[in-house]
Amino acid sequence: MLAEKAVNQGVAPVTYGQGDRPPRGDYAAARADYTCDQNWSAYTAADHDLYRRLYERQAAQLRDLACDEFIAAVEHLGAPDRIPRFEQLSETLRRRTGWEVVAVPGLIPEEAFFALLAQRRFPVTGWLRKPEEFDYIVEPDVFHDLFGHVPLLFDPVFADYMQAYGAGGLKASRLDACELLARLYWYTVEFGLIRTPQGVRAYGAGILSSAGELRYSVKSPEPSRVGFDLQRIMRTRYKIDTYQATYFVIDSFQQLFDATAPDFTPIYRAVRQLPEIEAGAVLPGEPLIAAG
Ligand code: PHE
Ligand code: CO
């Protein structure tokens, strides 16, 4: 009954940041779990063309900046000249790692997001940015969600991390610790760097889908690059409207998975006792990692 009601009347829209912008997606068309139909035939030729230009610009700069796992998997997105059909993409992905992509109207509430990840369903925004947002967009759109996030769902260890994160999110909601856990997402899934024999490389979706931040995060001498440290990350604030001032560097996806496997309950408690760290601050004696 409840679920049916939500289909007819829609679910509550969600906005990012201050919430002074109207939500862009059609939340009235979403189901109770916030998923909706992709409505692929509603994309225009101009949408497909804009997607292709975004894709080609990013694909051209992956070499020497993106990690190998990402580069190897990006081709699973299919030909760049069309926004992929989520159902087709899910078929391949399901066979590889048991994940699927599902359409959502845009940003969704934390709990709905965690629940989908815990079920190995990755929510991808249906709408594409406008041409005037070619270089920069505040909210995630279909290009960010697909190009940034989906390739690493083909990596078995990273795929398991994402599911564990979802389950951890449901737990964090009960412990009132979502803000601390969100920082982990931000500094790994969105803006993470990884050490490789060739130097640091990007694996975070926010970097990999950004025209300017990809090179900046890997090569610029400006930002600080700090080795992965769970408590350090949970204490660190982040900026949503500029390039990051600090990036955290993992040694491997296995390190990330193992370091986040323990029960976070005592870790949340410990972190709450410690002072927050401003975005970009470097702690005394903290070793920094060289640009890639
Ligand atoms: N181990 C975490 C917990 O107990 C769950 C988690 C795993 C969170 C992976 C984030 C990433 O809460
Ligand atoms: Co994202």
Side-chain angles (χ1 to χ4, degrees):
M1 254 349 248
L2 237 180
E4 233 152 87
K5 200 170 164 211
V7 171
N8 296 332
Q9 302 187 348
V11 291
V14 178
T15 52
Y16 198 41
Q18 293 317 309
D20 49 0
R21 284 167 290 108
R24 294 170 68 152
D26 179 10
Y27 287 82
R31 295 175 273 267
D33 65 359
Y34 274 86
T35 64
C36 60
D37 291 330
Q38 183 187 13
N39 200 7
W40 190 85
S41 50
Y43 295 127
T44 64
D47 290 335
H48 291 301
D49 189 60
L50 179 59
Y51 173 85
R52 180 188 54 77
R53 288 187 291 124
L54 287 162
Y55 184 115
E56 286 176 349
R57 175 174 63 179
Q58 282 313 98
Q61 49 167 341
L62 293 180
R63 198 161 52 94
D64 296 338
L65 299 177
C67 68
D68 288 344
E69 292 86 345
F70 185 90
I71 293 175
V74 79
E75 66 187 44
H76 292 304
L77 296 178
D81 57 331
R82 286 268 175 279
I83 298 170
R85 292 181 191 264
F86 296 173
E87 277 173 20
Q88 251 174 30
L89 189 53
S90 292
E91 251 175 65
T92 329
L93 189 51
R94 230 181 271 122
R95 276 199 306 272
R96 294 294 186 113
T97 57
W99 272 82
E100 52 186 60
V101 296
V102 291
V104 289
L107 288 164
I108 65 174
E110 264 169 350
E111 293 230 29
F113 180 65
F114 296 145
L116 290 173
L117 294 186
Q119 300 164 59
R120 290 174 102 85
R121 298 165 82 202
F122 192 79
V124 173
T125 302
W127 55 265
L128 182 69
R129 70 193 65 186
K130 300 194 175 80
E132 57 269 29
E133 295 165 311
F134 190 65
D135 288 324
Y136 183 77
I137 184 165
V138 202
E139 291 166 82
D141 71 339
V142 61
F143 179 72
H144 164 80
D145 284 341
L146 272 185
F147 190 92
H149 287 281
V150 173
L152 281 189
L153 295 175
F154 283 87
D155 181 88
V157 179
F158 192 83
D160 285 350
Y161 172 67
M162 289 295 284
Q163 177 180 24
Y165 185 92
L170 293 172
K171 187 163 114 188
S173 307
R174 297 194 296 272
L175 297 172
D176 201 21
C178 287
E179 210 186 318
L180 301 180
L181 192 66
R183 291 175 178 165
L184 176 63
Y185 193 86
W186 191 264
Y187 283 119
T188 61
V189 179
E190 293 292 355
F191 292 96
L193 297 180
I194 184 168
R195 259 192 176 103
T196 79
Q198 289 76 40
V200 299
R201 295 289 180 266
Y203 73 90
I207 309 176
L208 286 159
S209 65
S210 162
E213 190 161 1
L214 178 52
R215 177 161 296 276
Y216 176 87
S217 68
V218 173
K219 300 286 187 189
S220 169
E222 230 173 276
S224 309
R225 297 176 187 81
V226 178
F228 179 87
D229 175 331
L230 183 59
Q231 294 204 17
R232 166 73 161 88
I233 287 177
M234 285 188 181
R235 291 171 59 195
T236 307
R237 304 168 64 96
Y238 57 79
K239 298 239 155 83
I240 65 165
D241 52 1
T242 61
Y243 293 169
Q244 301 305 301
T246 302
Y247 298 95
F248 289 90
V249 184
I250 60 172
D251 295 329
S252 64
F253 294 137
Q254 194 63 51
Q255 177 206 20
L256 178 60
F257 184 86
D258 293 344
T260 51
D263 181 10
F264 281 6
T265 312
I267 299 173
Y268 293 141
R269 211 179 300 128
V271 167
R272 284 198 185 97
Q273 305 305 310
L274 297 168
E276 290 198 322
I277 301 168
E278 286 308 313
V282 177
L283 302 181
E286 187 166 55
L288 295 179
I289 295 167

